[in-house]
Amino acid sequence: MKNILILGATSDMAQAIAKKYAAEGWSLTLAARSVELLGPIASDLAVRSGAEIQTLEFDATDFSNHRKFYEELQTKPDVVIAAFGYMSDQMAVRSDVEEIQRTIDVNFTGMATMLSVVADDFEKRGSGSIAAISSVAGDRGRQSNYIYGSAKAGLTVFMAGLRNRLAEKGVHVMTVKPGFARTKMTENLELPAALTASPEQIAEAVFQGLEKKRNVVYTLWMWQWIMLIIKHIPEFIFKKMKM
Amino acid sequence: MRKIADWGNYPVIEADVSGFDTTAQLQQKLEQPGEVIAFGNGRSYGDASLQNKILLTRRFNKLLSFDDATGELCCQAGVLLSEILEVFVPRGWFLPVTPGTKLITIGGAIAADVHGKNHHVDGSFGQHIRSMDIMRNDGSVVTCSPTQNADFFKVTIGGMGLSGIILNATFRLKKIESAYIRQETTRAANLDEIMDGFEASNDWTYSVAWIDCLAKGDALGRSVLMRGEHATETDLVEQLHKNARFKIKKGLPLGIPINFPDFALNPLSMKAFNFAYYNKTRPGTHQDIVNYNSFFYPLDAIADWNRIYGKRGFTQYQFVIPKEAGREGMRTILKRITESGLGSFLAVLKLFGEQDSFMSFPMAGYTLALDFPISVKAMALFKELDAMVADYGGRLYLAKDSRMDAAMFEKTYPNADEFRQVIAMLNEGSTRFASLQSKRIGITG
């Protein structure tokens, strides 16, 4: 039976991804900062699909313990999905040192340290898939979310480099860039329905992307084109736009 | 703050909206003083789950345990009926009671005490609940069942979310031999024929009729009666069905991408639709094997079908009148609706069985449900209909209502007064459960 390790397994996207893999007959290792929150998620998956599920505590910012965490896994995974993230309110935190650091630590440093450990193992084994949830916010710096966005940009570049390193070693590396998503982070906002993906849509896109060994996945196709346009606006114009 | 509405898109309000994953998070939210109401999947039609502060339950959606021997399921209140079907139909289990949409939460099903095509046999959804946990306004959790904290249980079933936030519920699924329904369709030329048909349907588990509310004169009440049973192994004919009894084909994902302009639904287009629907069923009786989705949830196949009513929104007028008053009463009311020419798509008619609950809508008698686009004329018509329904000893369904007045509620729900007092007592404290509906019809202040 194939095993998937989901890091940050309590997010809405991660839960939907876990449901998808459980339904496909995989065994799951779910890791998150709060094991307590994982309890009902695991029993739900077990009732739904009878899947084998293990829950573990994992702290994205406890960098030096990432290797130990991975080495102690009972089952070494075939697929790793890093879904943890920290969205700060840009206006509130842009001068708050601790919040800036936390945003970068969770979204970039924690991803880089943990996935480097995974990469070493997969490289040795010559197989496996690594996916990380990045963001369209990392495609171009905008005043409304450049701290979060720059951490995600770092993650996107990290994943591209990892892909380049592991391409010839039989290891698949996939970057996921959801646009707007209907999750707990956005439940009090009105989002344009056509541009907003549900966690289930994202889970399906992640699953299909991993099956087809895609490199970069925008979960709704429009976002690839929207970001392409945004990326190509000349900087001397872009800097004056309210975005 | 964001804009939010229930299924009828009327009313649309600005509200502070948030959800919760754990009971601890919910407790924290209830510590803030003020009025709140739970919101499931937004499929009640009016304002029963609307309030300045709204607690979304959809994230509280875990299946907690299932017993393969008895079919007993315990799940959190934010689980959709559709999720339960997806998981358990392939294993040979079905919901004990289901309304005409599977896109509602368990919490909503209990709060509105929903009914289905088997009401005359199996009663309402609430009658199948064996136990549930409710969080009260002070953050404490009450476990209740028909025998434990029975009074609390009684006011929560059909209590429209006013006694507290339903956390989880335990009930039994029923065993099925296939995912298919053996369906019998019969055309009825008028109201007498369809009522005879219902009265001769007692030994069918499922029965319902689609009725043409625009047909006049001799054709008044012409309809199509649909009756069904879960298909047994031996009922299945097609090899494909026999080979995979619990597997059904996924339909095409259809949707209504935008709000229709107001003129799209007019008397002419509606008449044409109803005519076509009635005449697509040929006279006489027809037998079919259909999958459970097309029997129970034909409209769920079209995502966002409420958009055909456009921006102005719509309401569904659903009433019940006692069986004794049934024939005469239904004829009089239907005639008034037909004369108005305001009705839209086919309406749904059903004969309920007995029901003995504190606040629930059903009673032994006939129920009719019909959509109306919101308009000044329609609102005036409803007032007239209200008076007729009340005179016949009937009442309106709170899950569909967005406009009834307090006097109508008072007159037609026999336990209205006691319910109001109980809710006032339960709501003592700084946090209170109340919806725009409960204020409008005078349950809460």
Side-chain angles (χ1 to χ4, degrees):
Chain A
M1 191 190 285
K2 286 197 199 172
N3 176 272
I4 178 169
L5 167 64
I6 302 179
L7 301 161
T10 53
S11 81
D12 296 318
M13 274 181 223
Q15 288 186 42
I17 291 168
K19 266 183 207 164
K20 177 71 189 169
Y21 275 86
E24 295 286 332
W26 290 53
S27 78
L28 292 92
T29 308
L30 306 179
R33 202 159 31 126
S34 160
V35 192
E36 206 189 319
L37 283 181
L38 285 176
I41 296 172
S43 70
D44 176 69
L45 291 169
V47 172
R48 278 174 202 262
S49 60
E52 249 176 65
I53 294 144
Q54 231 206 332
T55 60
L56 292 171
E57 192 180 324
F58 169 77
D59 183 349
T61 57
D62 190 5
F63 314 125
S64 51
N65 268 322
H66 285 172
R67 188 165 292 277
K68 184 159 164 269
F69 169 86
Y70 189 79
E71 279 166 1
E72 284 175 359
L73 287 177
Q74 286 172 5
T75 316
K76 290 288 178 280
D78 302 283
V79 169
V80 172
I81 296 183
F84 54 85
Y86 180 70
M87 177 134 36
S88 46
D89 176 356
Q90 170 85 26
M91 285 310 277
V93 310
R94 61 182 180 189
S95 311
D96 180 331
V97 175
E98 277 173 24
E99 278 294 299
I100 292 172
Q101 186 172 4
R102 177 150 186 82
T103 305
I104 294 167
D105 280 354
V106 175
N107 295 306
F108 177 66
T109 320
M111 284 274 185
T113 52
M114 183 62 210
L115 295 182
S116 294
V117 174
V118 176
D120 288 348
D121 180 49
F122 281 17
E123 185 175 37
K124 237 181 282 163
R125 286 157 55 186
S127 68
S129 292
I130 302 172
I133 309 294
S134 188
S135 170
V136 296
D139 283 3
R140 187 154 195 182
R142 293 174 292 128
Q143 61 174 308
S144 58
N145 64 355
Y146 62 88
I147 294 171
Y148 176 79
S150 59
K152 288 294 193 184
L155 173 60
T156 299
V157 172
F158 172 84
M159 292 298 283
L162 205 59
R163 179 159 43 243
N164 190 218
R165 165 185 156 195
L166 297 174
E168 295 203 331
K169 306 282 168 58
V171 180
H172 168 223
V173 176
M174 183 170 92
T175 315
V176 185
K177 298 182 183 178
F180 294 140
R182 183 47 79 196
T183 67
K184 58 190 123 191
M185 287 200 250
T186 60
E187 66 195 358
N188 203 18
L189 301 175
E190 273 158 64
L191 298 173
L195 294 179
T196 307
S198 67
E200 290 72 28
Q201 278 176 306
I202 295 168
E204 190 62 36
V206 168
F207 180 81
Q208 294 301 337
L210 283 165
E211 288 288 296
K212 293 174 187 149
K213 303 233 184 284
R214 305 264 309 273
N215 299 318
V216 179
V217 172
Y218 288 84
T219 53
L220 291 178
W221 63 269
M222 299 78 88
W223 279 100
Q224 186 161 5
W225 300 99
I226 293 170
M227 294 321 292
L228 189 73
I229 293 164
I230 290 180
K231 275 195 278 192
H232 285 85
I233 299 171
E235 188 67 18
F236 69 90
I237 298 173
F238 193 82
K239 71 178 180 188
K240 290 180 189 152
M241 292 170 76
K242 290 252 177 293
M243 292 189 84
Chain B
M1 298 285 277
R2 74 168 166 106
K3 271 194 194 142
I4 189 163
D6 276 314
W7 189 240
N9 280 321
Y10 176 85
V12 180
I13 64 158
E14 285 269 337
D16 180 12
V17 175
S18 69
F20 56 94
D21 297 288
T22 63
T23 50
Q25 286 172 15
L26 179 58
Q27 261 161 352
Q28 226 171 26
K29 287 184 188 290
L30 292 178
E31 274 168 19
Q32 299 156 22
E35 293 180 333
V36 294
I37 194 74
F39 184 105
N41 205 38
R43 289 290 171 131
S44 67
Y45 281 61
D47 50 3
S49 59
L50 298 183
Q51 175 59 272
N52 295 333
K53 221 159 80 192
I54 286 173
L55 293 171
L56 302 177
T57 63
R58 268 294 284 130
R59 248 163 51 209
F60 202 66
N61 65 344
K62 307 296 177 287
L63 306 179
L64 301 174
S65 66
F66 181 69
D67 181 345
D68 263 317
T70 59
E72 191 156 289
L73 173 68
C74 177
C75 67
Q76 293 178 336
V79 171
L80 296 179
L81 301 188
S82 61
E83 295 179 89
I84 293 175
L85 294 167
E86 266 162 45
V87 173
F88 292 105
V89 168
R91 297 192 215 169
W93 299 96
F94 201 77
L95 295 162
V97 165
T98 176
T101 173
K102 57 181 173 173
L103 301 174
I104 66 162
T105 62
I106 289 295
I110 295 169
D113 196 15
V114 299
H115 55 267
K117 299 174 174 54
N118 57 345
H119 183 273
H120 60 289
V121 180
D122 296 312
S124 59
F125 191 81
Q127 290 168 290
H128 296 265
I129 301 298
R130 300 186 149 227
S131 165
M132 54 184 172
D133 289 339
I134 322 286
M135 187 176 286
R136 295 208 32 211
N137 62 342
D138 61 1
S140 63
V141 175
V142 181
T143 300
C144 62
S145 75
T147 51
Q148 182 187 6
N149 293 315
D151 282 346
F152 195 79
F153 186 83
K154 186 178 86 172
V155 297
T156 302
I157 304 278
M160 301 308 283
L162 300 171
S163 62
I165 306 281
I166 301 168
L167 297 175
N168 57 54
T170 304
F171 55 97
R172 283 189 182 180
L173 301 179
K174 74 171 175 190
K175 200 97 188 115
I176 48 172
E177 285 184 38
S178 79
Y180 292 88
I181 300 290
R182 176 165 60 83
Q183 172 186 277
E184 192 185 281
T185 316
T186 313
R187 210 162 93 163
N190 55 45
L191 198 60
D192 273 327
E193 265 190 53
I194 187 62
M195 289 188 156
D196 290 341
F198 270 117
E199 275 155 39
S201 299
N202 275 333
D203 37 2
W204 285 82
T205 307
Y206 299 108
S207 63
V208 72
W210 283 47
I211 178 167
D212 177 353
C213 278
L214 299 174
K216 290 184 185 172
D218 292 343
L220 183 82
R222 72 174 178 188
S223 36
V224 178
L225 174 64
M226 283 166 281
R227 303 187 288 191
E229 294 291 339
H230 288 284
T232 60
E233 220 176 321
T234 48
D235 286 338
L236 298 177
V237 183
E238 275 185 46
Q239 205 54 50
L240 203 69
H241 299 171
K242 284 178 115 49
N243 292 346
R245 279 185 289 138
F246 295 107
K247 218 170 150 181
I248 55 171
K249 263 201 295 193
K250 272 218 169 111
L252 284 174
L254 300 173
I256 308 288
I258 51 160
N259 281 327
F260 276 24
D262 290 355
F263 59 79
L265 297 190
N266 58 55
L268 209 63
S269 67
M270 287 291 91
K271 222 171 174 157
F273 176 87
N274 283 343
F275 179 84
Y277 194 91
Y278 178 73
N279 283 290
K280 104 182 157 68
T281 311
R282 274 164 313 146
T285 293
H286 311 275
Q287 302 239 356
D288 278 304
I289 299 286
V290 297
N291 75 46
Y292 74 87
N293 276 328
S294 66
F295 184 76
F296 289 105
Y297 314 115
L299 282 175
D300 285 346
I302 308 162
D304 303 320
W305 64 259
N306 54 346
R307 286 182 177 156
I308 60 172
Y309 291 102
K311 250 192 146 148
R312 64 197 152 159
F314 74 108
T315 189
Q316 190 172 83
Y317 193 83
Q318 180 168 3
F319 65 89
V320 58
I321 52 174
K323 203 167 165 201
E324 312 83 75
R327 295 214 175 209
E328 187 219 328
M330 200 52 88
R331 183 177 310 281
T332 314
I333 297 174
L334 201 54
K335 229 173 163 171
R336 184 65 197 91
I337 294 173
T338 310
E339 278 165 15
S340 79
L342 294 171
S344 59
F345 292 106
L346 292 151
V348 175
L349 179 69
K350 155 119 198 108
L351 178 58
F352 282 147
E354 295 289 336
Q355 170 111 13
D356 179 27
S357 313
F358 187 62
M359 277 306 292
S360 305
F361 165 68
M363 64 168 78
Y366 282 96
T367 181
L368 180 74
L370 171 63
D371 293 348
F372 290 87
I374 296 291
S375 70
V376 176
K377 267 192 195 158
M379 289 296 185
L381 173 67
F382 297 151
K383 280 270 178 207
E384 272 181 61
L385 298 179
D386 284 356
M388 293 169 156
V389 168
D391 274 352
Y392 287 117
R395 56 180 168 244
L396 305 184
Y397 191 10
L398 295 179
K400 309 281 178 78
D401 160 63
S402 58
R403 34 72 45 196
M404 152 169 54
D405 60 26
M408 175 71 183
F409 174 70
E410 195 72 49
K411 223 184 308 177
T412 54
Y413 275 80
N415 297 318
D417 204 41
E418 197 184 336
F419 184 59
R420 183 185 313 108
Q421 287 169 26
V422 173
I423 295 302
M425 198 182 70
L426 292 173
N427 263 337
E428 265 170 35
S430 54
T431 306
R432 311 188 317 125
F433 298 110
S435 62
L436 297 187
Q437 179 182 56
S438 74
K439 297 183 142 208
R440 172 167 49 77
I441 62 176
I443 304 173
T444 59

